[in-house]
Amino acid sequence: MKQSVFVQHSGAVCDFSSSDSWVILSPIEQSIKRKIEAVGTPLKDWDIQINYGIKTGYNDAFIIDTEKREAILANCQTEEERKRTAELIRPILRGRDIRRYEYEWADKYLIATFPSRHYDIELYPAVKRHLLSFGKERLEQTGKTYSINGEKIKARKKTHNKWFETQDSISYWEDFMRPKIIWKRIGSILRFSYDTTGNLGLDSTCFATGQHMAYLCCILNSLMGHYMFKDSPKTGTGDLLVSVQAIEPILIPMNKDMECLFENLLEEVLEHRSEETEKEINRLAFKLYDLSPAEINYITDFVTQSQQSQ
């Protein structure tokens, strides 16, 4: 059968012989896809841990600023209580605080009463007084609705946790203290921040810990990294959903020879960010996948246009 001129110029040969899910791609997209699959290893198969940020169930009570933190510490009766309390109240990052490679801390702290730590609230009387100021019924994790002075008060959702604890157990709390990549879970622009200072992350973030964090941070922030998220799920308004499930399939090459180069480049970016350093990160990221000049131009144009439309 004779093909139309449009098909002759715009058609693409597709192989549907396997039982895998399929999508129709242009020849250059097919070539890029093959190269990514040839060298990449899914992040779920790396020696890393990927988790969600912390859900408190009631941020107004558990998220505080420096002024409130100092007030709570000033209300401690002994130096021992003050020391314990200071260790309990930790800096936290929200999704909106995340930037590419770095973050802008917004003077926010979390009262980190994680259920997995089994805290005795009686050892933290100043914290207890602060939390009770919001009403115990409001902080209970029963899912019940109470009537207080004619006002209906909805408790947090039902869990087995205590009224002064965060909603999530956070058994992986120690991972926050390790070098990590942290990113906004839902957003129009991809940003991955590198943190070595032990900041916590709110549930508007996800984070990864383990080996190769500096290397992975560079790849994920590169043009190549952004391109690989093009098929990630989106919200109804078009924002990307960069959840744990969305990032685990991302294919990144394990390349020890180039990892040191990326680590040095990340240090440069964090110390004095420059356009030249970011260009070098992009160049090396493309090199990892052995892309041709035409494929590099295609990805660069695709990502640039995507960012301009957001």
Side-chain angles (χ1 to χ4, degrees):
M1 181 182 294
K2 187 176 181 180
Q3 296 178 332
S4 68
V5 174
F6 175 80
V7 171
Q8 291 177 26
H9 288 281
S10 305
V13 177
C14 299
D15 180 8
F16 302 119
S17 59
S18 74
S19 60
D20 296 336
S21 60
W22 53 269
V23 62
I24 296 176
L25 303 172
S26 68
I28 195 166
E29 289 173 325
Q30 290 185 50
S31 177
I32 293 170
K33 183 174 184 290
R34 284 193 296 268
K35 289 183 177 181
I36 291 173
E37 292 174 344
V39 298
T41 298
L43 285 177
K44 66 181 179 65
D45 294 333
W46 286 62
D47 184 20
I48 62 175
Q49 295 75 47
I50 307 173
N51 286 299
Y52 288 100
I54 299 158
K55 182 175 289 186
T56 70
Y58 193 46
N59 288 346
D60 287 351
F62 289 90
I63 305 295
I64 61 176
D65 58 17
T66 298
E67 183 179 0
K68 176 56 69 174
R69 178 179 182 271
E70 293 303 318
I72 292 173
L73 293 177
N75 285 330
C76 294
Q77 300 301 305
T78 66
E79 184 59 30
E80 289 77 12
E81 181 195 345
R82 191 182 192 284
K83 184 177 180 181
R84 285 195 302 270
T85 303
E87 292 175 350
L88 182 69
I89 303 174
R90 306 299 299 270
I92 191 165
L93 298 173
R94 307 162 301 172
R96 71 187 75 172
D97 304 327
I98 304 303
R99 302 292 180 264
R100 292 179 67 244
Y101 299 107
E102 50 195 0
Y103 54 85
E104 293 182 6
W105 181 59
D107 186 38
K108 299 297 181 184
Y109 292 87
L110 173 73
I111 298 175
T113 47
F114 303 141
S116 59
R117 300 296 310 275
H118 306 292
Y119 286 106
D120 179 357
I121 193 62
E122 300 306 325
L123 295 176
Y124 302 87
V127 170
K128 181 180 179 180
R129 286 193 294 272
H130 163 76
L131 293 175
L132 285 175
S133 70
F134 292 89
K136 188 175 181 180
E137 293 82 3
R138 179 65 185 83
L139 296 179
E140 284 184 351
Q141 303 194 51
T142 61
K144 296 180 179 179
T145 299
Y146 299 90
S147 180
I148 308 294
N149 298 324
E151 180 184 358
K152 287 188 176 181
I153 303 295
K154 176 71 173 169
R156 290 185 286 171
K157 78 172 188 178
K158 186 175 182 179
T159 71
H160 295 296
N161 302 329
K162 299 175 182 177
W163 68 268
F164 59 86
E165 295 175 328
T166 58
Q167 185 169 294
D168 289 346
S169 181
I170 314 297
S171 58
Y172 49 84
W173 63 271
E174 288 180 299
D175 284 351
F176 283 108
M177 309 306 135
R178 302 185 175 108
K180 61 182 174 291
I181 302 170
I182 183 167
W183 62 92
K184 188 176 182 180
R185 189 161 53 87
I186 302 174
S188 59
I189 299 176
L190 289 168
R191 298 187 180 106
F192 297 86
S193 171
Y194 184 66
D195 176 45
T196 60
T197 61
N199 286 300
L200 304 177
L202 200 56
D203 65 331
S204 53
T205 68
C206 292
F207 72 104
T209 57
Q211 302 297 314
H212 323 289
M213 288 296 101
Y215 171 66
L216 292 176
C217 185
C218 287
I219 304 302
L220 292 171
N221 275 312
S222 71
L223 291 171
M224 188 67 207
H226 285 208
Y227 178 79
M228 289 188 290
F229 282 95
K230 66 184 181 66
D231 296 322
S232 293
K234 295 179 175 63
T235 66
T237 58
D239 286 345
L240 287 166
L241 292 168
V242 194
S243 62
V244 173
Q245 292 79 10
I247 201 170
E248 284 183 337
I250 297 299
L251 296 166
I252 296 180
M254 292 182 174
N255 192 313
K256 291 184 178 180
D257 293 335
M258 293 186 68
E259 186 165 343
C260 185
L261 295 176
F262 282 104
E263 290 174 352
N264 292 335
L265 287 168
L266 179 61
E267 287 185 16
E268 290 183 26
V269 167
L270 295 176
E271 289 177 8
H272 43 80
R273 193 163 174 177
S274 71
E275 186 176 337
E276 290 304 312
T277 304
E278 295 210 42
K279 283 183 178 179
E280 182 64 5
I281 289 173
N282 286 327
R283 186 187 72 80
L284 291 177
F286 287 137
K287 185 178 179 180
L288 283 170
Y289 296 88
D290 193 27
L291 298 176
S292 69
E295 291 164 342
I296 291 172
N297 289 336
Y298 177 85
I299 291 173
T300 301
D301 290 343
F302 179 91
V303 174
T304 301
Q305 291 173 13
S306 297
Q307 292 175 343
Q308 289 174 346
S309 65
Q310 292 168 343

